[in-house]
Amino acid sequence: MNRYELNGFSEDLIHYSESDLRYKHDPKIWSIGQMYDHLILVASEYLDEVEICLRGDGVSDGEKTPFGEKLFMEGGFPPIKIELPPEMNQPPNNTDSSVTLQERMQSLISRMKTLESQLENTAEDRKTFHGGFGWLNAMEWFELVEMHTRHHRLQQRELETWIKQKDL
């Protein structure tokens, strides 16, 4: 996989001004910058799990939850807004500049390339636990980065609409 969903988000960053990145049309919603921070943090956490599985750590048994099974059978999240419980829904950082976000994205993409090259040689039975999806192996964690990133395209389009309206 030479083309990651994160590449598209990285390319899109050049289109946002610093004020665009921080703009919130409503205090309850994230800014584009916060969405980027969230994507980077979650992808990093998922890649940490990939590394654990690649090292041979984790467990050899354990199944996905019914929602996890459905998610992987369908190849992605449903096109709906998903709200996390308050204890898991801390507002992401809204202060990073476009340069900082770009550097973080490029570092993450580089990490993905490195890990992807190791995936075909990993045991599928080494798994770690995801609170919503159950026990996932290295390849599934890696795929989850892509699924999660793709899921936020809808949010990105909505936030871009608000940014365009503020400039009218």
Side-chain angles (χ1 to χ4, degrees):
M1 181 185 303
N2 291 329
R3 174 84 177 152
Y4 303 112
E5 286 293 324
L6 288 170
N7 282 331
F9 278 94
S10 180
E11 292 164 6
D12 292 344
L13 262 173
I14 63 169
H15 302 293
Y16 305 125
S17 69
E18 297 301 316
S19 66
D20 289 346
L21 287 174
R22 289 173 187 75
Y23 179 71
K24 295 174 71 161
H25 88 281
D26 182 308
K28 296 177 191 164
I29 65 150
W30 290 350
S31 68
I32 290 256
Q34 286 176 298
M35 181 196 68
Y36 271 86
D37 184 65
H38 169 76
L39 288 173
I40 294 165
L41 289 176
V42 170
S44 296
E45 289 172 10
Y46 291 173
L47 294 178
D48 291 346
E49 298 299 324
V50 170
E51 288 177 336
I52 291 168
C53 294
L54 287 173
R55 283 195 310 263
D57 296 338
V59 300
S60 60
D61 58 355
E63 302 296 323
K64 290 181 194 72
T65 63
F67 185 71
E69 288 289 348
K70 184 175 174 30
L71 178 77
F72 281 90
M73 277 183 30
E74 294 179 1
F77 292 88
I80 58 170
K81 290 184 181 182
I82 299 172
E83 188 152 341
L84 296 172
E87 65 274 7
M88 295 176 64
N89 201 16
Q90 297 303 313
N93 179 8
N94 198 27
T95 62
D96 280 354
S97 68
S98 60
V99 170
T100 300
L101 288 170
Q102 189 64 256
E103 289 169 352
R104 291 174 67 202
M105 291 291 281
Q106 290 308 309
S107 175
L108 187 61
I109 290 166
S110 176
R111 186 177 177 203
M112 285 185 76
K113 288 177 185 173
T114 300
L115 290 173
E116 184 180 36
S117 69
Q118 301 171 39
L119 286 174
E120 64 184 53
N121 300 324
T122 186
E124 290 185 24
D125 69 340
R126 295 285 105 190
K127 300 176 182 182
T128 60
F129 188 73
H130 183 285
F133 309 131
W135 294 93
L136 307 177
N137 65 33
M139 180 61 84
E140 291 165 333
W141 280 107
F142 193 87
E143 290 172 11
L144 192 56
V145 172
E146 290 290 288
M147 287 189 262
H148 178 256
T149 305
R150 235 183 0 257
H151 176 72
H152 280 279
R153 277 289 180 198
L154 187 63
Q155 179 185 21
Q156 179 189 26
R157 286 188 204 103
E158 181 180 323
L159 294 172
E160 286 173 344
T161 300
W162 292 113
I163 289 170
K164 287 176 187 164
Q165 288 181 5
K166 85 166 167 72
D167 293 335
L168 295 178

mmCIF file with all atom_site columns, all heavy atoms in Angstrom, residues 113-126:
data_model
loop_
_atom_site.group_PDB
_atom_site.id
_atom_site.type_symbol
_atom_site.label_atom_id
_atom_site.label_alt_id
_atom_site.label_comp_id
_atom_site.label_asym_id
_atom_site.label_entity_id
_atom_site.label_seq_id
_atom_site.pdbx_PDB_ins_code
_atom_site.Cartn_x
_atom_site.Cartn_y
_atom_site.Cartn_z
_atom_site.occupancy
_atom_site.B_iso_or_equiv
_atom_site.pdbx_formal_charge
_atom_site.auth_seq_id
_atom_site.auth_comp_id
_atom_site.auth_asym_id
_atom_site.auth_atom_id
_atom_site.pdbx_PDB_model_num
ATOM 1   N N   . LYS A 1 113 ? 4.923  3.308   6.776  1.00 0.00 ? 113 LYS A N   1
ATOM 2   C CA  . LYS A 1 113 ? 5.688  2.617   5.730  1.00 0.00 ? 113 LYS A CA  1
ATOM 3   C C   . LYS A 1 113 ? 6.628  1.589   6.336  1.00 0.00 ? 113 LYS A C   1
ATOM 4   O O   . LYS A 1 113 ? 6.734  0.461   5.846  1.00 0.00 ? 113 LYS A O   1
ATOM 5   C CB  . LYS A 1 113 ? 6.481  3.624   4.895  1.00 0.00 ? 113 LYS A CB  1
ATOM 6   C CG  . LYS A 1 113 ? 5.628  4.465   3.987  1.00 0.00 ? 113 LYS A CG  1
ATOM 7   C CD  . LYS A 1 113 ? 6.474  5.488   3.238  1.00 0.00 ? 113 LYS A CD  1
ATOM 8   C CE  . LYS A 1 113 ? 5.599  6.412   2.415  1.00 0.00 ? 113 LYS A CE  1
ATOM 9   N NZ  . LYS A 1 113 ? 6.364  7.504   1.808  1.00 0.00 ? 113 LYS A NZ  1
ATOM 10  N N   . THR A 1 114 ? 7.300  1.977   7.397  1.00 0.00 ? 114 THR A N   1
ATOM 11  C CA  . THR A 1 114 ? 8.229  1.067   8.059  1.00 0.00 ? 114 THR A CA  1
ATOM 12  C C   . THR A 1 114 ? 7.500  -0.152  8.604  1.00 0.00 ? 114 THR A C   1
ATOM 13  O O   . THR A 1 114 ? 7.931  -1.292  8.398  1.00 0.00 ? 114 THR A O   1
ATOM 14  C CB  . THR A 1 114 ? 8.974  1.801   9.206  1.00 0.00 ? 114 THR A CB  1
ATOM 15  O OG1 . THR A 1 114 ? 9.691  2.900   8.648  1.00 0.00 ? 114 THR A OG1 1
ATOM 16  C CG2 . THR A 1 114 ? 9.908  0.876   9.941  1.00 0.00 ? 114 THR A CG2 1
ATOM 17  N N   . LEU A 1 115 ? 6.398  0.071   9.292  1.00 0.00 ? 115 LEU A N   1
ATOM 18  C CA  . LEU A 1 115 ? 5.657  -1.037  9.883  1.00 0.00 ? 115 LEU A CA  1
ATOM 19  C C   . LEU A 1 115 ? 4.998  -1.910  8.818  1.00 0.00 ? 115 LEU A C   1
ATOM 20  O O   . LEU A 1 115 ? 4.967  -3.137  8.956  1.00 0.00 ? 115 LEU A O   1
ATOM 21  C CB  . LEU A 1 115 ? 4.615  -0.512  10.876 1.00 0.00 ? 115 LEU A CB  1
ATOM 22  C CG  . LEU A 1 115 ? 5.205  0.071   12.157 1.00 0.00 ? 115 LEU A CG  1
ATOM 23  C CD1 . LEU A 1 115 ? 4.107  0.707   12.997 1.00 0.00 ? 115 LEU A CD1 1
ATOM 24  C CD2 . LEU A 1 115 ? 5.949  -0.993  12.945 1.00 0.00 ? 115 LEU A CD2 1
ATOM 25  N N   . GLU A 1 116 ? 4.491  -1.286  7.775  1.00 0.00 ? 116 GLU A N   1
ATOM 26  C CA  . GLU A 1 116 ? 3.823  -2.071  6.734  1.00 0.00 ? 116 GLU A CA  1
ATOM 27  C C   . GLU A 1 116 ? 4.779  -3.091  6.127  1.00 0.00 ? 116 GLU A C   1
ATOM 28  O O   . GLU A 1 116 ? 4.386  -4.216  5.828  1.00 0.00 ? 116 GLU A O   1
ATOM 29  C CB  . GLU A 1 116 ? 3.269  -1.157  5.648  1.00 0.00 ? 116 GLU A CB  1
ATOM 30  C CG  . GLU A 1 116 ? 2.492  -1.929  4.593  1.00 0.00 ? 116 GLU A CG  1
ATOM 31  C CD  . GLU A 1 116 ? 1.931  -1.038  3.510  1.00 0.00 ? 116 GLU A CD  1
ATOM 32  O OE1 . GLU A 1 116 ? 2.599  -0.054  3.148  1.00 0.00 ? 116 GLU A OE1 1
ATOM 33  O OE2 . GLU A 1 116 ? 0.821  -1.351  3.037  1.00 0.00 ? 116 GLU A OE2 1
ATOM 34  N N   . SER A 1 117 ? 6.044  -2.719  5.978  1.00 0.00 ? 117 SER A N   1
ATOM 35  C CA  . SER A 1 117 ? 7.014  -3.636  5.379  1.00 0.00 ? 117 SER A CA  1
ATOM 36  C C   . SER A 1 117 ? 7.266  -4.863  6.257  1.00 0.00 ? 117 SER A C   1
ATOM 37  O O   . SER A 1 117 ? 7.780  -5.869  5.787  1.00 0.00 ? 117 SER A O   1
ATOM 38  C CB  . SER A 1 117 ? 8.333  -2.901  5.113  1.00 0.00 ? 117 SER A CB  1
ATOM 39  O OG  . SER A 1 117 ? 8.979  -2.568  6.322  1.00 0.00 ? 117 SER A OG  1
ATOM 40  N N   . GLN A 1 118 ? 6.882  -4.793  7.515  1.00 0.00 ? 118 GLN A N   1
ATOM 41  C CA  . GLN A 1 118 ? 7.074  -5.915  8.442  1.00 0.00 ? 118 GLN A CA  1
ATOM 42  C C   . GLN A 1 118 ? 5.824  -6.780  8.605  1.00 0.00 ? 118 GLN A C   1
ATOM 43  O O   . GLN A 1 118 ? 5.894  -7.851  9.210  1.00 0.00 ? 118 GLN A O   1
ATOM 44  C CB  . GLN A 1 118 ? 7.481  -5.377  9.814  1.00 0.00 ? 118 GLN A CB  1
ATOM 45  C CG  . GLN A 1 118 ? 8.744  -4.550  9.808  1.00 0.00 ? 118 GLN A CG  1
ATOM 46  C CD  . GLN A 1 118 ? 8.969  -3.870  11.145 1.00 0.00 ? 118 GLN A CD  1
ATOM 47  O OE1 . GLN A 1 118 ? 8.724  -4.441  12.192 1.00 0.00 ? 118 GLN A OE1 1
ATOM 48  N NE2 . GLN A 1 118 ? 9.436  -2.634  11.105 1.00 0.00 ? 118 GLN A NE2 1
ATOM 49  N N   . LEU A 1 119 ? 4.702  -6.330  8.084  1.00 0.00 ? 119 LEU A N   1
ATOM 50  C CA  . LEU A 1 119 ? 3.434  -7.007  8.365  1.00 0.00 ? 119 LEU A CA  1
ATOM 51  C C   . LEU A 1 119 ? 3.321  -8.404  7.774  1.00 0.00 ? 119 LEU A C   1
ATOM 52  O O   . LEU A 1 119 ? 2.732  -9.285  8.390  1.00 0.00 ? 119 LEU A O   1
ATOM 53  C CB  . LEU A 1 119 ? 2.256  -6.155  7.894  1.00 0.00 ? 119 LEU A CB  1
ATOM 54  C CG  . LEU A 1 119 ? 1.947  -4.945  8.756  1.00 0.00 ? 119 LEU A CG  1
ATOM 55  C CD1 . LEU A 1 119 ? 0.858  -4.101  8.112  1.00 0.00 ? 119 LEU A CD1 1
ATOM 56  C CD2 . LEU A 1 119 ? 1.547  -5.348  10.161 1.00 0.00 ? 119 LEU A CD2 1
ATOM 57  N N   . GLU A 1 120 ? 3.878  -8.632  6.603  1.00 0.00 ? 120 GLU A N   1
ATOM 58  C CA  . GLU A 1 120 ? 3.694  -9.948  5.987  1.00 0.00 ? 120 GLU A CA  1
ATOM 59  C C   . GLU A 1 120 ? 4.454  -11.044 6.717  1.00 0.00 ? 120 GLU A C   1
ATOM 60  O O   . GLU A 1 120 ? 4.177  -12.216 6.528  1.00 0.00 ? 120 GLU A O   1
ATOM 61  C CB  . GLU A 1 120 ? 4.062  -9.914  4.510  1.00 0.00 ? 120 GLU A CB  1
ATOM 62  C CG  . GLU A 1 120 ? 5.510  -9.617  4.218  1.00 0.00 ? 120 GLU A CG  1
ATOM 63  C CD  . GLU A 1 120 ? 5.777  -9.498  2.735  1.00 0.00 ? 120 GLU A CD  1
ATOM 64  O OE1 . GLU A 1 120 ? 5.080  -8.726  2.067  1.00 0.00 ? 120 GLU A OE1 1
ATOM 65  O OE2 . GLU A 1 120 ? 6.680  -10.192 2.269  1.00 0.00 ? 120 GLU A OE2 1
ATOM 66  N N   . ASN A 1 121 ? 5.392  -10.681 7.570  1.00 0.00 ? 121 ASN A N   1
ATOM 67  C CA  . ASN A 1 121 ? 6.171  -11.677 8.302  1.00 0.00 ? 121 ASN A CA  1
ATOM 68  C C   . ASN A 1 121 ? 5.733  -11.844 9.745  1.00 0.00 ? 121 ASN A C   1
ATOM 69  O O   . ASN A 1 121 ? 6.481  -12.380 10.543 1.00 0.00 ? 121 ASN A O   1
ATOM 70  C CB  . ASN A 1 121 ? 7.663  -11.284 8.281  1.00 0.00 ? 121 ASN A CB  1
ATOM 71  C CG  . ASN A 1 121 ? 8.199  -11.207 6.875  1.00 0.00 ? 121 ASN A CG  1
ATOM 72  O OD1 . ASN A 1 121 ? 7.808  -11.989 6.021  1.00 0.00 ? 121 ASN A OD1 1
ATOM 73  N ND2 . ASN A 1 121 ? 9.077  -10.245 6.632  1.00 0.00 ? 121 ASN A ND2 1
ATOM 74  N N   . THR A 1 122 ? 4.555  -11.388 10.060 1.00 0.00 ? 122 THR A N   1
ATOM 75  C CA  . THR A 1 122 ? 4.112  -11.450 11.452 1.00 0.00 ? 122 THR A CA  1
ATOM 76  C C   . THR A 1 122 ? 3.107  -12.572 11.667 1.00 0.00 ? 122 THR A C   1
ATOM 77  O O   . THR A 1 122 ? 2.361  -12.946 10.760 1.00 0.00 ? 122 THR A O   1
ATOM 78  C CB  . THR A 1 122 ? 3.494  -10.101 11.892 1.00 0.00 ? 122 THR A CB  1
ATOM 79  O OG1 . THR A 1 122 ? 3.202  -10.158 13.285 1.00 0.00 ? 122 THR A OG1 1
ATOM 80  C CG2 . THR A 1 122 ? 2.224  -9.805  11.141 1.00 0.00 ? 122 THR A CG2 1
ATOM 81  N N   . ALA A 1 123 ? 3.116  -13.098 12.861 1.00 0.00 ? 123 ALA A N   1
ATOM 82  C CA  . ALA A 1 123 ? 2.151  -14.136 13.233 1.00 0.00 ? 123 ALA A CA  1
ATOM 83  C C   . ALA A 1 123 ? 0.782  -13.492 13.434 1.00 0.00 ? 123 ALA A C   1
ATOM 84  O O   . ALA A 1 123 ? 0.667  -12.483 14.120 1.00 0.00 ? 123 ALA A O   1
ATOM 85  C CB  . ALA A 1 123 ? 2.605  -14.828 14.513 1.00 0.00 ? 123 ALA A CB  1
ATOM 86  N N   . GLU A 1 124 ? -0.214 -14.093 12.821 1.00 0.00 ? 124 GLU A N   1
ATOM 87  C CA  . GLU A 1 124 ? -1.571 -13.536 12.938 1.00 0.00 ? 124 GLU A CA  1
ATOM 88  C C   . GLU A 1 124 ? -2.190 -13.794 14.299 1.00 0.00 ? 124 GLU A C   1
ATOM 89  O O   . GLU A 1 124 ? -3.206 -13.193 14.622 1.00 0.00 ? 124 GLU A O   1
ATOM 90  C CB  . GLU A 1 124 ? -2.469 -14.113 11.843 1.00 0.00 ? 124 GLU A CB  1
ATOM 91  C CG  . GLU A 1 124 ? -2.131 -13.614 10.464 1.00 0.00 ? 124 GLU A CG  1
ATOM 92  C CD  . GLU A 1 124 ? -3.108 -14.106 9.406  1.00 0.00 ? 124 GLU A CD  1
ATOM 93  O OE1 . GLU A 1 124 ? -4.262 -14.444 9.762  1.00 0.00 ? 124 GLU A OE1 1
ATOM 94  O OE2 . GLU A 1 124 ? -2.712 -14.139 8.239  1.00 0.00 ? 124 GLU A OE2 1
ATOM 95  N N   . ASP A 1 125 ? -1.602 -14.683 15.079 1.00 0.00 ? 125 ASP A N   1
ATOM 96  C CA  . ASP A 1 125 ? -2.217 -15.029 16.363 1.00 0.00 ? 125 ASP A CA  1
ATOM 97  C C   . ASP A 1 125 ? -1.751 -14.161 17.528 1.00 0.00 ? 125 ASP A C   1
ATOM 98  O O   . ASP A 1 125 ? -2.172 -14.350 18.647 1.00 0.00 ? 125 ASP A O   1
ATOM 99  C CB  . ASP A 1 125 ? -1.993 -16.509 16.686 1.00 0.00 ? 125 ASP A CB  1
ATOM 100 C CG  . ASP A 1 125 ? -0.532 -16.822 16.992 1.00 0.00 ? 125 ASP A CG  1
ATOM 101 O OD1 . ASP A 1 125 ? 0.350  -16.031 16.595 1.00 0.00 ? 125 ASP A OD1 1
ATOM 102 O OD2 . ASP A 1 125 ? -0.281 -17.862 17.634 1.00 0.00 ? 125 ASP A OD2 1
ATOM 103 N N   . ARG A 1 126 ? -0.905 -13.179 17.286 1.00 0.00 ? 126 ARG A N   1
ATOM 104 C CA  . ARG A 1 126 ? -0.500 -12.245 18.338 1.00 0.00 ? 126 ARG A CA  1
ATOM 105 C C   . ARG A 1 126 ? -1.447 -11.068 18.302 1.00 0.00 ? 126 ARG A C   1
ATOM 106 O O   . ARG A 1 126 ? -1.497 -10.327 17.323 1.00 0.00 ? 126 ARG A O   1
ATOM 107 C CB  . ARG A 1 126 ? 0.937  -11.761 18.143 1.00 0.00 ? 126 ARG A CB  1
ATOM 108 C CG  . ARG A 1 126 ? 1.966  -12.839 18.275 1.00 0.00 ? 126 ARG A CG  1
ATOM 109 C CD  . ARG A 1 126 ? 2.177  -13.228 19.738 1.00 0.00 ? 126 ARG A CD  1
ATOM 110 N NE  . ARG A 1 126 ? 1.551  -14.503 20.012 1.00 0.00 ? 126 ARG A NE  1
ATOM 111 C CZ  . ARG A 1 126 ? 1.401  -15.024 21.214 1.00 0.00 ? 126 ARG A CZ  1
ATOM 112 N NH1 . ARG A 1 126 ? 1.812  -14.389 22.276 1.00 0.00 ? 126 ARG A NH1 1
ATOM 113 N NH2 . ARG A 1 126 ? 0.828  -16.188 21.385 1.00 0.00 ? 126 ARG A NH2 1
#
